[in-house]
Each structure stands twice: as structure tokens, then as C-alpha cells.
Amino acid sequence: MIHASSLQEALDHQASGAVLFAGGTWAMRGPMDRPFVTLSGIPGLDLIEGQGGQLILGALVTHEALARALSTDPGRAALALAAGKSATPAVRRMATLGGNICTADFASPDLVPALLVLGACVTIVTAQGVEDLPLADYLATPPGPHVLTHVKLPAVTGRSTHVRLMQRQAGEYPLAALSMALKADPDGTIRDLRIAVGAVEARPRRWPALEAALIGCTPDPAALRGIARDLSDFIGRDAVDAPGWYRTRVLPGLVARAFATLTAPEGR
Amino acid sequence: MTISLTINGDPLEYSGDPRRTLLSVLRNDLRLTGAKEVCGEGFCGACTVHVDGAPKVACLIPMGTLSGRSITTIEGLGAPDMLNAVQQAFVDHDVVQCGMCFPGMVLSMSHFLAETPHPTRDEIKRAMTGNLCRCTGYERIVDALASIAPAQEALS
Ligand SMILES: Cc1cc2nc3c(=O)[nH]c(=O)nc-3n(C[C@H](O)[C@H](O)[C@H](O)COP(=O)(O)OP(=O)(O)OC[C@H]3O[C@@H](n4cnc5c(N)ncnc54)[C@H](O)[C@@H]3O)c2cc1C
Ligand code: FES
Ligand code: FES
């Protein structure tokens, strides 16, 4: 176990085969024959800072710290709920934002769909230097060896939420998770809508077909499930907790639940 | 490299493999067997200990990250003739069955009640999500915890 005190040091050890270690809640359940390089000695990675309307979050911010910091931020409720309902209280004290994004073989990271609908950009450092890129691009084309240092969230104007379908109420991975961010006119016309789905496919992603179909409309909540069913192009992932067909079948219900929450008078 | 930390107030100098888990060191080297090894994956909470006062799962914590930390296990909480409020309520409500989950349950709930002195039943249940009781005596555990806040108020 190596304790990096700078990003360069972490990158050097990573290049020679060490595994980055943040909260350890994923790494400690994998192969233990490789060296770990811890990030906790690198300054600034636990930052939570508002700049204008923008919010900058360090990669080592824990799920617990995130839920606490966002508890009074209704526009970013999707992220607060994702962070506050994931895993268990003890694990939320350990697991980090960066670990949630960077665990490439984790299908159900709750924070990622929430970050996608909030328009997150990530800052990564590689041997070539520092790069800012949209989270969606990071997920679509995972970079080579890198350290993710920060997440930037733009100012928000609408409301957002995160819903999860569970076998039990808590304490395990969701069978499907959906984040939604909505901006609507007082008459209910949708001005902006972003929907992202986690746990269904190998990695979370947006649902552009459904977003495009609903923007500019005033959808009848009763018709929403049917629209979502018709426009679903997700191919569900089979795993021990649920077969793929089940994960896709529950998505319209999650869409309806999220939409109902966001259009309720005091919803979020 | 030697790692210095304290366990229940006693200093420990550790110089083994830094990737070894805190749980393994507690149970196998120090014979502090209150923290249980059950799932080994962070799901059940049977291995919960306090790290600098906050409950964490010892099965996922490598020794190498614990330099300067202060660990409290169930052996360091209360004493047989001086139980803390949670331990006493669990005795009074006769909630312990096989006992496997209880060291972790006591450590998680003692911290939770210190942070949330007047919890609702729903808040108690949410706080318990990381501590599985395979004997499933949950309702009595919740009853015991719910009895603590009013009792403490009556005493003060
Ligand atoms: C019992 C249990 C239940 C859980 N349930 C959920 C759940 O319901 N929802 C949920 O979202 N999460 C859940 N998790 C937590 C999940 O493990 C974490 O959310 C996260 O994926 C890992 O974060 P970490 O900080 O522990 O990462 P680590 O284990 O430290 O690292 C994981 C991987 O990410 C890489 N990495 C970490 N940080 C960086 C970085 N800054 N830059 C580049 N690479 C990095 C590491 O190299 C490693 O490969 C659960 C965990 C447990 C133990
Ligand atoms: S043994 Fe650590 S959580 Fe189950
Ligand atoms: S009392 Fe047996 S597991 Fe809880």
C-alpha cells in the first residue's frame, strides 16, 4: 500500500500496476494481490465548493458528505437522494464520488445517473495532462490510466429526483435506478428534461429518445408509462438479482414515479 | 512500515501486510472477537467498529489506511456493570437472539442516537439498514431503541 502525496505520484504508481484506492468499498472486494495507491494524502480532493451557481466536488467526497452538503439544494435533489440512499450508512461514510464514477465494471452506481441529468463534467489527470470532459463522454469512452480529481456541476434551475427499484427497501444494489431533471412552465409544458438510467445496462446512460419526445409537451401522466414503454431501447442486463427483461419492464413505472414526484406541488 | 493506531484506547504498532483488513487483525491477532466476520463484503454490518467515533465496516478497511486513527470495538464500549443506553435497552427488552449481529448493531445505533436523539421509528429503521439480523428480531430492536429517548428525557 502506497500513500501518494501528489497526482503525479499516483499516476506513476498506477502506470506500474498499482490500483487506485479511494474509499476501498469496491477495491477491497476484488483481487488483493496488487499494490494499492491511496489518494487521501493528495490535497484538495475532498473539496465541496460553490462558485456562482456552479458546484465543484472533489473525487474523495464521500456519499455521506455529499448527501449532507446537498440536503438544502432542491435542484440537485437527484444527487442528494442517490448519495443518501445508496448502500448502507457505514458504507456511505467510506465510498467516494470518484470511486462511484470510476468503477468501470459497476453497473449500478447510484451517483452516476444523477450526475448525468445534472450535466456533470469531470476533470481527469493523465500522463498527457489535465482534461475537462462531459461525464457522458467519459463513460462512453473510458480513458486510459487516469485519476479523476473533480466533478463540476453547472447551475440548476429546475427540479430533480432519483428513484430506485429495490428488492428490499435498502442495503443492496437497485435492480433499476432512474434520475430525472425537469424544468417546466407554470402550465406544465416541459421546457427541459433529462433522464438517465442505471443498473439496467452495463453502465448508466441517458434516455435521449424519451427526453426528445416529451420536451415541448404537456404529458398526461396516465399516458407516460405507455410512451416510455414504446421508446425504450434498453437491453437489460442479466444478473443474479434480476433478469434483464425485468429491469427494462420496470422502467416505465420508474419514469412515472419520478415525474409524479417532480410535478407534485412540493416535489423535488 | 509500522502503522501506529489505538484500539479501545490501547496503542497498537502494526507492521504486517498493510492490505490486511482491520477485522482480521482484531479477531486473529488481538483476539477481539466481538466484531464478527460474516459476509466480508460490507453488506451485513456484523463487523462494524468505530473509526474516530464513526461506524464503519472493518471487513473493508485495510490496516494501511489507519495510521493515527482511534478504533473502538464492542469490547471498548461500556462495561458489564456500566452498559451504555443502547446496550441496557437491548437487555431490558430482551432483544438478543443468537447475538451474531449485536456488536455491530450496538455500535451503529449508539452513534445514530448520539447524532439523532429523538428519532422516529422510520429514522431508526433507515439507520439500521446496514446491520442485518438473521434472527430477524427487528421490531423488538426498534422498540428498544425507541424507548431510549423518552427514558433519557425522564431522567434529566
Ligand atoms: C455493501 C455495499 C453496498 C453498496 N451499495 C451501493 C449502492 O446501492 N449504490 C452505489 O452507488 N454504491 C454502492 N456501493 C458502493 C460502491 O462500492 C461505491 O459507490 C463505489 O463504486 C466505490 O467507491 P470507493 O470510493 O469505495 O472506491 P474504491 O473501492 O476505492 O475504488 C473503486 C475503483 O475505482 C477506482 N477509483 C477510485 N477513485 C478513483 C479516482 N479518483 N480516479 C480514478 N479511479 C478511481 C479504483 O482504482 C478502483 O478500481 C456499495 C458498497 C458496498 C460495500
Ligand atoms: S462482515 Fe463486514 S459487513 Fe459483513
Ligand atoms: S440476533 Fe441472531 S443475527 Fe441478530
Side-chain angles (χ1 to χ4, degrees), chain A residues 67-92:
Chain A
R68 226 179 256 268
L70 295 175
S71 61
T72 52
D73 190 346
R76 299 192 178 102
L79 188 55
L81 288 166
K85 293 201 163 182
S86 65
T88 67
V91 170
R92 293 198 289 268

Side-chain angles (χ1 to χ4, degrees), chain B residues 3-26:
Chain B
I3 295 148
S4 309
L5 63 158
T6 65
I7 312 269
N8 298 330
D10 297 330
L12 173 71
E13 303 287 318
Y14 175 84
S15 45
D17 186 335
R19 290 169 301 188
R20 246 183 103 200
T21 66
L22 170 61
L23 182 61
S24 161
V25 170
L26 290 174

Side-chain angles (χ1 to χ4, degrees), chain A residues 1 3 21 23-25 28-29 32-36 38 64 68 87-91 93-94 168 170-173, chain B residues 1 18-21 40-43 48 54-57 59-62 64-65 111 115 126-130 132 138:
Chain A
M1 184 159 258
H3 301 288
F21 187 99
T25 65
M28 286 297 282
R29 295 185 282 158
M32 295 295 280
D33 53 353
R34 286 185 297 178
F36 289 135
T38 65
E64 187 200 42
R68 226 179 256 268
T88 67
V91 170
R93 280 185 200 104
M94 301 165 65
R168 300 188 304 130
E172 52 197 29
Y173 299 130
Chain B
M1 194 181 80
R19 290 169 301 188
R20 246 183 103 200
T21 66
E41 295 229 348
F43 281 95
T48 304
K56 295 189 174 171
V57 281
C59 66
L60 297 183
I61 303 179
T65 60
H111 176 265
E115 283 206 323
R126 271 203 292 279
M128 277 168 58
T129 50
L132 295 185
Y138 292 113

